[in-house]
Amino acid sequence: MTELASTMPIATNGQKSNASLLARAKKVVAGGDSSTMRVLPYHLPLVAERGDGARVWDAEGREYLDMNMAYGPLIYGHRPRMVVDAVTRQITHGGSQLGFPTEIGIRAAENVQRLFPSMELMRFANSGTEACASSVRLARAFTGRRKIIMFEGHYHGWSEAVFTKYHAPLSELPERGYAPAIPGTLGIAGSIDDVIVCRWNNLEVLERCMAEHRGQIAAVIMEPIMGNGGVIAPADDYLRGVRYLTLESDVLLMFDEVITGMRVAPGGAQELYQLSPDISVVSKCIGSGYPVAAFGARREIMERIVSGAVFHGGVYSANACVMAAVEASTRYALEHHETIYPHLNRVTDELAAGLHEILERLGVPHLVQHVGPLLSLFLTREPVEKLSEYRDVRRACDFEKFIELQHAMQRLGVYFHPNQFEPMFPSTAHTSADIGIVLERFETAARATLV
Ligand code: PLP
């Protein structure tokens, strides 16, 4: 560690340190930050001062190549010019919050619909959590049924409706492959009782689960590419099989594309796999860092909201400031997808190949899995060929080793999340030269911690 510590850039302002700022934060903000994943007991302190392109700087003036990109929204990097300009124009000349419908909001919705044609009608919300909770309510209201099927390792926000213990230890997972959800937090009540959690990427288990609950299920909800339990692609024909099973039983299929929307393809996983869900939720990339989500479905389903039978609201829903960001971000994707996605795929391929080559050469068991610019590096205890579901990741991966590696990388000026369930999120701001720097530092960190 001392060898690595000696390569740390020198703090420039001497006054503030990440650690002292966090200690100050803890006196006013419960746990030191308003989102739990940002300050965990095993995090090295990092208080961000600013970001630019593919880089962030901390309170001590240290520069990091950022592979976390705010957990995914920053598809164009930090502070992309066209988004900053659009927001600045809006807040300077129009206002951030007008309390009326706005044309910028209408244009943003039209763009989102062009990207995701399955969303015939949509509503904007302020977060993925809100949009997922509203979608669940909508599914229950539309079908008149209560039960929801979700999947191990998948996360749909922290609402009362769907916050399960999505990273449960193996000992708590049912042998038969599905069971009533374990609530994700103390204090949760009510609607989680109607959630069943099932193994993912396994049609046989889902079929059994659906058969046992025939006539009671409103919706099957999933991340079409698992992102919250590490990146795992759906097996060949899995999504098609789920689509068949849900149609056959008249159950709604909901894709939570909070991560995958506008990331793995302009129109998300539903475009990549050419498969339409009944209800979709999109969020992170459409806002490029501004707080937004959208949920939508075909007209017949969304009619429940149009008629007022299902309530959805929000003082800040579709506020003009955020709509300016969404309009700019989605328009850019619509106009430049032919350059954006090849770039994202190329730099991620370079990252994946480089990580694999280094670890292979050093004899460290691992697996790199990615779907487009959504990548997981898994450090495994033994060599494994494939990880197909959450249980595989839990069983095979060495979480302690990953934390050591992450600490070494952070000290060397590269940030990704220390929990290996969290993917890396390359952006259009990352160049091949940046990936080269990441890989160079990765080799140093891997030699220091894994060999
Ligand atoms: N769904 C998925 C797939 C997510 O990854 C997240 C957050 O990371 C959410 C829902 C919740 O979104 P938010 O944190 O904006 O409430």
Side-chain angles (χ1 to χ4, degrees):
M1 277 310 154
T2 38
E3 189 190 324
L4 290 170
S6 68
T7 64
M8 280 163 62
I10 298 190
T12 51
N13 65 24
Q15 317 255 301
K16 295 184 276 186
S17 75
N18 293 303
S20 67
L21 278 171
L22 270 182
R24 198 171 124 204
K26 283 177 182 169
K27 292 184 183 155
V28 280
V29 182
D33 191 79
S34 295
S35 188
T36 296
M37 288 302 278
R38 289 191 211 136
V39 181
L40 294 166
Y42 52 84
H43 257 118
L44 287 182
L46 195 167
V47 176
E49 186 88 14
R50 68 189 179 92
D52 186 18
R55 287 165 170 75
V56 286
W57 284 263
D58 70 12
E60 299 171 14
R62 288 198 187 100
E63 179 182 310
Y64 304 83
L65 266 162
D66 187 0
M67 302 311 297
N68 184 57
M69 299 311 273
Y71 300 81
L74 307 180
I75 186 94
Y76 307 128
H78 291 270
R79 298 193 285 122
R81 181 86 263 146
M82 69 289 186
V83 177
V84 172
D85 285 351
V87 169
T88 307
R89 236 184 350 262
Q90 181 61 41
I91 61 178
T92 309
H93 302 294
S96 64
Q97 166 73 335
L98 296 162
F100 293 97
T102 59
E103 188 177 345
I104 192 77
I106 298 164
R107 292 213 309 271
E110 287 167 350
N111 289 355
V112 171
Q113 195 203 48
R114 279 178 65 198
L115 290 165
F116 301 88
S118 72
M119 295 165 73
E120 265 189 288
L121 286 175
M122 83 191 71
R123 278 284 178 103
F124 284 113
N126 302 294
S127 69
T129 296
E130 280 181 39
C132 288
S134 296
S135 298
V136 166
R137 179 183 289 170
L138 182 61
R140 286 183 169 140
F142 181 75
T143 58
R145 300 181 215 123
R146 294 184 63 89
K147 292 218 180 289
I148 303 289
I149 295 181
M150 293 179 25
F151 295 94
E152 293 170 2
H154 293 219
Y155 173 65
H156 306 293
W158 46 269
S159 74
E160 299 294 289
V162 289
F163 186 46
T164 65
K165 192 170 178 181
Y166 65 113
H167 286 164
L170 285 170
S171 59
E172 293 180 20
L173 299 177
E175 208 160 297
R176 69 172 176 163
Y178 59 90
I182 309 169
T185 171
L186 281 181
I188 211 162
S191 81
I192 198 82
D193 296 345
D194 280 311
V195 174
I196 304 158
V197 176
C198 204
R199 286 172 65 185
W200 186 66
N201 240 349
N202 185 322
L203 272 182
E204 188 266 325
V205 173
L206 178 62
E207 199 168 358
R208 269 195 286 121
C209 177
M210 288 180 72
E212 186 182 323
H213 300 93
R214 188 164 288 282
Q216 303 167 53
I217 302 161
V220 171
I221 303 180
M222 69 165 74
E223 297 178 51
I225 297 162
M226 187 166 81
N228 278 290
V231 176
I232 297 184
D236 286 349
D237 278 342
Y238 177 70
L239 296 183
R240 238 158 258 294
V242 176
R243 183 66 284 193
Y244 176 80
L245 286 177
T246 48
L247 282 173
E248 195 193 27
S249 340
D250 206 16
V251 164
L252 297 178
L253 175 60
M254 178 183 141
F255 278 180
D256 175 349
E257 297 226 43
V258 165
I259 290 177
T260 52
M262 228 182 89
R263 173 163 287 278
V264 296
Q270 50 196 279
E271 176 181 327
L272 189 68
Y273 298 115
Q274 291 289 299
L275 195 134
S276 281
D278 299 298
I279 304 180
S280 301
V281 174
V282 295
S283 174
K284 295 183 171 180
C285 290
I286 65 163
S288 283
Y290 289 78
V292 70
F295 65 101
R298 61 179 183 274
R299 187 171 297 275
E300 177 197 14
I301 297 173
M302 293 301 282
E303 264 313 321
R304 296 297 192 278
I305 289 181
V306 177
S307 70
V310 171
F311 184 79
H312 169 255
V315 167
Y316 290 106
S317 292
N319 71 81
C321 168
V322 166
M323 288 298 102
V326 173
E327 202 283 324
S329 175
T330 50
R331 180 156 41 86
Y332 197 80
L334 286 162
E335 289 173 358
H336 300 281
H337 59 94
E338 281 173 9
T339 49
I340 292 169
Y341 293 88
H343 177 100
L344 290 168
N345 288 333
R346 182 171 47 77
V347 291
T348 315
D349 285 347
E350 286 166 5
L351 178 63
L355 294 172
H356 173 65
E357 188 277 321
I358 291 165
L359 293 175
E360 188 85 338
R361 188 156 37 78
L362 299 181
V364 176
H366 69 281
L367 207 60
V368 182
Q369 297 196 156
H370 73 107
V371 181
L374 177 63
L375 178 144
S376 273
L377 163 65
F378 297 106
L379 292 183
T380 57
R381 288 192 199 86
E382 309 288 335
V384 282
E385 263 177 31
K386 202 172 176 196
L387 300 169
S388 302
E389 58 167 321
Y390 168 75
R391 292 181 189 208
D392 292 347
V393 181
R394 257 283 173 242
R395 203 174 290 121
C397 292
D398 189 334
F399 287 78
E400 295 305 316
K401 271 272 166 248
F402 193 88
I403 292 169
E404 276 181 51
L405 172 73
Q406 189 278 338
H407 284 192
M409 285 297 272
Q410 186 169 329
R411 290 192 168 99
L412 288 169
V414 177
Y415 184 81
F416 49 80
H417 200 277
N419 185 334
Q420 71 181 312
F421 281 132
E422 288 289 338
M424 298 186 204
F425 297 98
S427 76
T428 58
H430 289 86
T431 61
S432 292
D434 292 331
I435 300 301
I437 296 168
V438 169
L439 292 173
E440 207 179 291
R441 294 177 186 175
F442 183 80
E443 174 145 7
T444 308
R447 282 184 186 281
T449 57
L450 305 178
V451 182

